Amino acid sequence: MLIFSLLLVFTACKKDNAAPEKVYNLYRIKTFDYKSEDGNEDLKVDFTYDNNQLSKVNIAIFYNGEWLPAVQYFLTYEGSKAILLREVFDSKKWHIQSKSEYRMNGERVTEESFFIFWEGRYYKEWMWKYKYNGEQLVAWESFEKIDENAAFVVDARGEFIYEEGNLVAYNAYEKINEDTWKHIAKEEIIHAGDQITNRLVWALDEMEILVRYINCKYFYINDDIVRSDYHIWNNTKSDWESQPAMIKDFEYDSAGFLSYETNGFESSSYTYEEGHGNAKIFLYYPEDLVFNEPTFKDSDVEIEKLHTPYYERFITRLNNQY
């Protein structure tokens, strides 16, 4: 299974007529509110920490005019291992649905395994492994089981290419058979200095050929992205076509943290508290942590910003529940 979700907003000390100075390890995400287009699937998310580590996440959903418990996560830690337990609320009680087990190197995930809970026991569904060069993620591999009794085998992989410390390209491949890999996606990342200005995405068309697909343009004030503007390739016109519904605008609080984002239909707002945090480890996949769009402040590990809005992963999980 491939994940193409298409983090870090830093503490800042403001200077006159200058970009904010980045300061780490001061604040972490406390609450997150998501407002849907029709107002009937709004979310409220609360984060709880223990000894500067995320220990619980509560998610409530606004449905049919009232707030209802929806999902809760519990996290435990054992040395370099972390376990995330997911429960969903149904028929007036909580039910275990799944868990993820993480192997860590500091605050970097080196391996994640996902388990479904069914009839009193856990079944391992998939596994991912990650390779780093220093702080930079350079490759991932995903694994699947052919059948219940088989060992896990590699079914896909991705690679990230850097030049002078900047990410410049990404490639993803799917394993067809023992000797054949299919190139299924690629990206070219364009920079002006250290800032990403464009992400050009190629994807497979109906003929299974890699073709131009998306051009995402970024607009900045100082070092902060204030707008992302997506264009889709129009093959008939041989030109990029703007997608107004995909434009996203970002706002920041007085400390320089992301406080609000919207695409004109949905919106997200964030609040923070003092203390070290590690929420991003469990709410994003490492392969999503190498691109450059704003997300909430979290942790002191300087990984580049994620480009997927924070609420989208929660919504995906919630939709899987119903």
Side-chain angles (χ1 to χ4, degrees):
M1 174 181 178
L2 291 175
I3 297 174
F4 296 105
S5 302
L6 291 171
L7 127 73
L8 192 55
V9 176
F10 304 103
T11 310
C13 298
K14 297 292 186 179
K15 296 182 179 179
D16 293 337
N17 301 318
E21 179 184 352
K22 304 303 183 184
V23 182
Y24 304 99
N25 202 31
L26 295 179
Y27 291 90
R28 61 197 180 197
I29 186 72
K30 176 59 178 175
T31 66
F32 156 74
D33 291 318
Y34 161 73
K35 294 189 178 299
S36 60
E37 182 176 359
D38 62 8
N40 198 39
E41 291 184 351
D42 294 357
L43 299 178
K44 286 185 177 181
V45 185
D46 293 293
F47 299 82
T48 302
Y49 300 85
D50 186 15
N51 294 323
N52 290 323
Q53 292 180 312
L54 185 65
S55 58
K56 187 177 181 181
V57 181
N58 281 316
I59 305 172
I61 186 170
F62 190 75
Y63 191 72
N64 286 340
E66 62 178 326
W67 285 102
L68 302 172
V71 180
Q72 61 185 9
Y73 299 87
F74 297 92
L75 290 112
T76 57
Y77 304 86
E78 302 171 3
S80 61
K81 181 180 179 181
I83 300 173
L84 181 150
L85 177 68
R86 180 177 189 259
E87 295 183 351
V88 297
F89 194 80
D90 187 36
S91 301
K92 298 184 179 181
K93 63 180 180 179
W94 291 100
H95 304 267
I96 297 174
Q97 188 179 66
S98 63
K99 72 172 180 177
S100 292
E101 294 185 355
Y102 301 83
R103 296 290 179 180
M104 317 288 295
N105 182 4
E107 291 193 347
R108 302 185 190 282
V109 175
T110 59
E111 183 178 311
E112 178 182 356
S113 298
F114 178 76
F115 301 77
I116 290 290
F117 188 77
W118 180 253
E119 294 185 344
R121 58 166 292 191
Y122 287 103
Y123 296 87
K124 190 173 181 178
E125 293 285 303
W126 51 260
M127 180 171 64
W128 292 68
K129 291 186 178 181
Y130 304 95
K131 181 180 179 181
Y132 300 85
N133 180 14
E135 294 185 349
Q136 294 176 337
L137 177 67
V138 295
W140 60 262
E141 290 181 315
S142 65
F143 298 77
E144 66 172 357
K145 281 204 301 187
I146 304 302
D147 58 58
E148 181 61 30
N149 298 318
F152 278 82
V153 296
V154 176
D155 67 341
R157 61 184 173 88
E159 61 184 20
F160 302 89
I161 301 170
Y162 300 82
E163 292 180 1
E164 298 181 353
N166 289 325
L167 178 68
V168 296
Y170 168 69
N171 293 285
Y173 303 88
E174 181 181 6
K175 192 172 185 179
I176 304 303
N177 54 50
E178 191 63 32
D179 302 313
T180 306
W181 288 86
K182 180 193 292 186
H183 195 182
I184 60 173
K186 71 174 184 177
E187 296 193 25
E188 178 184 354
I189 296 91
I190 300 172
H191 296 258
D194 291 332
Q195 293 181 343
I196 294 177
T197 60
N198 295 75
R199 288 180 47 242
L200 304 175
V201 180
W202 284 258
L204 293 177
D205 66 6
E206 63 276 6
M207 302 298 293
E208 295 290 294
I209 298 172
L210 275 178
V211 296
R212 282 177 288 193
Y213 180 44
I214 292 174
N215 179 9
C216 181
K217 301 180 179 181
Y218 297 103
F219 300 88
Y220 293 79
I221 294 179
N222 296 322
D223 288 332
D224 294 323
I225 294 175
V226 294
R227 169 166 287 193
S228 62
D229 187 357
Y230 284 78
H231 295 69
I232 302 294
W233 181 254
N234 186 316
N235 203 44
T236 303
K237 298 179 180 179
S238 295
D239 198 6
W240 294 107
E241 196 168 74
S242 180
Q243 304 294 309
M246 297 177 69
I247 293 174
K248 295 171 185 172
D249 293 309
F250 306 93
E251 298 177 8
Y252 301 83
D253 63 20
S254 59
F257 302 157
L258 180 68
S259 59
Y260 181 79
E261 63 177 291
T262 183
N263 61 4
F265 305 98
E266 306 162 314
S267 65
S268 306
S269 56
Y270 311 88
T271 65
Y272 303 89
E273 66 179 12
E274 291 189 11
H276 176 80
N278 61 345
K280 75 176 188 308
I281 297 172
F282 310 105
L283 301 177
Y284 296 100
Y285 301 110
E287 65 270 25
D288 295 325
L289 293 172
V290 294
F291 298 98
N292 192 46
E293 200 162 295
T295 55
F296 63 79
K297 161 69 182 174
D298 180 64
S299 184
D300 60 347
V301 178
E302 189 175 358
I303 300 178
E304 294 192 42
K305 302 172 187 177
L306 175 66
H307 64 284
T308 298
Y310 177 43
Y311 62 80
E312 288 186 1
R313 185 166 182 188
F314 277 131
I315 291 174
T316 299
R317 289 183 167 184
L318 285 171
N319 287 341
N320 289 338
Q321 157 189 359
Y322 297 109

